[in-house]
Amino acid sequence: METATSRRWRALLLASVAACAACGLVYELALLALSASLGRGDVVANSLIVAGYVAALGFGAVAAKPLVGRAAVSFLGIECALGLLGGVSATALYWVFSVTGESLGALVAATFVIGTLVGAEVPLLMTLLQTGRTASAEDTGRVLANLNAADYFGALVGGLLWPFVLLPAVGMLKATVIAGLINVSAALIIAALLLRRMMSRRALAAAVSALLAAALALGALLAGIRDIETTARQSLYAQPIVFAKHSKYQDIVVTRFGADRRLYLDGGLQYSSRDEYRYTESLVYPAVSAGTKTALILGGGDGLAARELLRMPNIERIVQVELDPEVIEVARTVLREDNRGSLDDPRVEKITADAFTWLHDQARNQARGETPAQKFDAIYADLPDPDNAVLAKLYSQEFYGLVRGVAAPGAKLVVQSGSPFSTPDAYWRTESTLRAAGWSTTPYHVHVPTFGDWGFVLAALSPEPPAVALDDGHPPLKFFTPSVAQAATVFGADNGPRQLEPSTLAHPKIVEDIRRGWRGAGE
């Protein structure tokens, strides 16, 4: 008959199992987040990481078979390796990317190693839980059920802690180091309280020494991680970094060299103060006239589009919908000189929300009669390039259909659409998708030195395509003159119009267009 002591022993072991499982999932989530931050968070990368992790779990379980004869010492050794490798994984991979510029191979390799170690835990733990028992088939089933429950519950805890506590509070690199320390600490508790009678003194001393050494190494990394991260991050940018922060959604970096200030999100350049006026004027003014009173900006959290709109004396209201509140805060402080404090103007209503979700809520609320219909004279989709499935929804037929619901009679929409030269399929896919959603379109492009040939699509709900022209009431512009506007609609033979199928939520074709364009650029 099982004693109270043995029940407490197993309960404590299962609690430790849950803690280790939570740490294991944190490592995996960190690798996925790192993939997104390093610019490879696409379907291929995520599939390789997730599938590789699951396959490694099975490989680890099989690889643990020769170790079950020495389950106690093997388990502690695996936890030591898992805590140490998992704890340093994000920092090491970030450093590898900063040096080599490539991350996918290292990410997949790290996933497989960590998954193998996690997979080896279960057979060893099952052996430990069965030690000293003559178990029936039913009893073995109950033990396995308890082990799986502790493992899955721990994974749930880790999955909740990662997005709601660890990532926003301490950032990706520190979070994995903290998880490693928890992992090692749990193993030390198991060694000291549960497994000391199942191991020789020499084996116990060796295991505890290794775990303590791993804890010291992780502690040293935690103490110096700010300097390591700063050095690695700076190596990714040619100009000195003046601001850096990892928000809930992305890595935000601002650099400055002389008068040239640049904003980067997840390593992608958003603008250079040297020539952003070319981009911003080309985005804003084709959609406005002397009669434009209300405007909606989807994205554009840097405040540059709002700055130009506020130069129009007839503008009464601007709604700025930006996903990341940290970008808004950076725009109001670090980038204030560039946007001239536009986001603090009382005419600008700042909403932190996903653009797709916000538009969907507008349509749903209006259908229910819960809120008055919000209609805008000028609408701008100033959104990041759709290089992954998450961003692709903001370039989908469904998204542009939702935009129609907030368009006032005679409204115009401008969509930043990438480079017609470097990513021609993605550019013309955007134009085709707008037409499939019921918009009349006029594509146009300009030269922005920092970006090269950059394209936009002007759209309206009228039967005829809208003209890219400037109203007489516009303020003096530095670049987008009437002659530039007229020339902007002319495309060369090497990047002329293409008739493509629309990109949809179910089939985000534009993601592959972007990747194919990048691969082909310069060839």
Side-chain angles (χ1 to χ4, degrees):
M1 181 178 294
E2 189 174 31
T3 65
T5 300
S6 63
R7 285 195 297 270
R8 288 193 296 269
W9 186 92
R10 287 179 174 80
L12 186 55
L13 183 60
L14 290 172
S16 301
V17 168
C20 293
C23 296
L25 191 64
V26 166
Y27 304 144
E28 176 66 7
L29 293 173
L31 293 177
L32 287 169
L34 197 62
S35 174
S37 294
L38 301 183
R40 288 305 307 263
D42 54 23
V43 173
V44 174
N46 289 343
S47 297
L48 286 174
I49 291 172
V50 173
Y53 183 76
V54 174
L57 293 176
F59 178 79
V62 173
K65 284 183 178 181
L67 305 177
V68 295
R70 303 185 64 191
V73 68
S74 298
F75 175 76
L76 294 179
I78 285 173
E79 292 308 308
C80 180
L82 181 59
L84 185 59
L85 294 176
V88 305
S89 59
T91 305
L93 290 169
Y94 189 75
W95 186 268
V96 167
F97 178 77
S98 70
V99 173
T100 67
E102 180 54 48
S103 61
L104 184 58
L107 282 166
V108 172
T111 297
F112 190 80
V113 172
I114 292 173
T116 298
L117 293 172
V118 173
E121 290 177 325
V122 175
L124 299 176
L125 286 166
M126 188 67 182
T127 302
L128 292 174
L129 286 168
Q130 291 285 64
T131 300
R133 305 178 68 180
T134 302
S136 64
E138 292 181 0
D139 192 37
T140 300
R142 294 189 187 97
V143 172
L144 183 59
N146 289 335
L147 179 58
N148 284 335
D151 192 43
Y152 295 147
F153 177 76
L156 172 64
V157 171
L160 294 175
L161 286 176
W162 174 253
F164 296 115
V165 179
L166 291 173
L167 190 59
V170 298
M172 188 188 313
L173 304 190
K174 280 187 177 180
T176 52
V177 179
I178 291 171
L181 283 169
I182 294 173
N183 206 153
V184 171
S185 299
L188 280 169
I189 292 173
I190 293 174
L193 300 182
L194 305 178
L195 303 183
R196 65 181 188 273
R197 296 177 182 175
M198 302 173 63
M199 304 167 59
S200 67
R201 290 185 178 181
R202 178 177 296 180
L204 180 62
V208 170
S209 298
L211 289 166
L212 288 174
L216 288 173
L218 291 170
L221 177 59
L222 187 62
I225 201 166
R226 181 180 295 274
D227 293 336
I228 295 172
E229 183 178 7
T230 299
T231 303
R233 180 187 282 120
Q234 182 59 74
S235 68
L236 295 172
Y237 301 94
Q239 299 178 320
I241 294 174
V242 296
F243 175 87
K245 184 172 184 178
H246 193 90
S247 74
K248 180 181 178 181
Y249 300 101
Q250 58 203 332
D251 198 38
I252 306 170
V253 171
V254 179
T255 67
R256 181 165 186 169
F257 183 75
D260 185 11
R261 184 169 28 249
R262 301 187 176 201
L263 170 66
Y264 295 84
L265 299 179
D266 278 342
L269 178 63
Q270 304 304 299
Y271 78 84
S272 164
S273 60
R274 183 180 62 179
D275 57 18
E276 59 79 12
Y277 65 90
R278 283 183 167 233
Y279 173 97
T280 308
E281 290 179 1
S282 302
L283 171 77
V284 170
Y285 288 101
V288 296
S289 67
T292 303
K293 295 183 179 181
T294 59
L296 170 66
I297 305 173
L298 303 170
D302 51 35
L304 300 178
R307 177 199 69 195
E308 289 301 315
L309 285 167
L310 290 171
R311 295 180 66 197
M312 300 286 291
N314 48 296
I315 288 291
E316 298 176 355
R317 179 174 180 248
I318 299 171
V319 173
Q320 173 85 56
V321 180
E322 165 63 44
L323 174 65
D324 194 344
E326 294 293 345
V327 171
I328 295 290
E329 185 59 25
V330 171
R332 295 178 61 246
T333 53
V334 182
L335 306 177
R336 189 179 186 87
E337 183 179 343
D338 297 335
N339 60 49
R340 300 174 194 165
S342 62
L343 299 185
D344 288 326
D345 190 286
R347 289 171 288 177
V348 179
E349 178 186 353
K350 299 177 290 295
I351 297 174
T352 53
D354 172 75
F356 192 102
T357 302
W358 186 82
L359 288 170
H360 185 267
D361 289 344
Q362 295 299 306
R364 182 183 58 189
N365 293 340
Q366 291 172 23
R368 294 175 178 176
E370 296 177 359
T371 59
Q374 295 195 62
K375 301 292 183 179
F376 300 92
D377 302 319
I379 305 170
Y380 303 93
D382 189 15
L383 298 159
D385 292 335
D387 55 4
N388 60 58
V390 174
L391 292 173
K393 71 179 183 180
L394 304 177
Y395 290 78
S396 65
Q397 182 177 343
E398 293 87 345
F399 179 77
Y400 296 133
L402 290 172
V403 174
R404 293 185 59 178
V406 296
K412 293 181 179 180
L413 161 69
V414 178
V415 178
Q416 91 78 16
S417 309
S419 173
F421 179 78
S422 297
T423 55
D425 284 349
Y427 177 80
W428 293 108
R429 182 86 63 189
T430 300
E431 193 265 346
S432 296
T433 302
L434 278 161
R435 285 191 284 104
W439 296 87
S440 298
T441 61
T442 300
Y444 65 102
H445 63 134
V446 298
H447 179 67
V448 181
T450 301
F451 294 146
D453 183 37
W454 207 257
F456 306 84
V457 178
L458 177 65
L461 294 177
S462 58
E464 297 297 322
V468 180
L470 292 177
D471 189 272
D472 293 336
H474 70 79
L477 304 182
K478 296 172 65 177
F479 169 70
F480 200 72
T481 62
S483 57
V484 171
Q486 184 178 8
T489 58
V490 178
F491 288 82
D494 61 343
N495 63 348
R498 305 182 184 189
Q499 302 297 320
L500 301 173
E501 294 182 8
S503 187
T504 65
L505 292 179
H507 198 169
K509 297 174 179 290
I510 198 167
V511 176
E512 184 57 30
D513 293 336
I514 287 282
R515 297 185 67 218
R516 183 169 54 251
W518 285 341
R519 288 196 296 265
E523 296 181 355

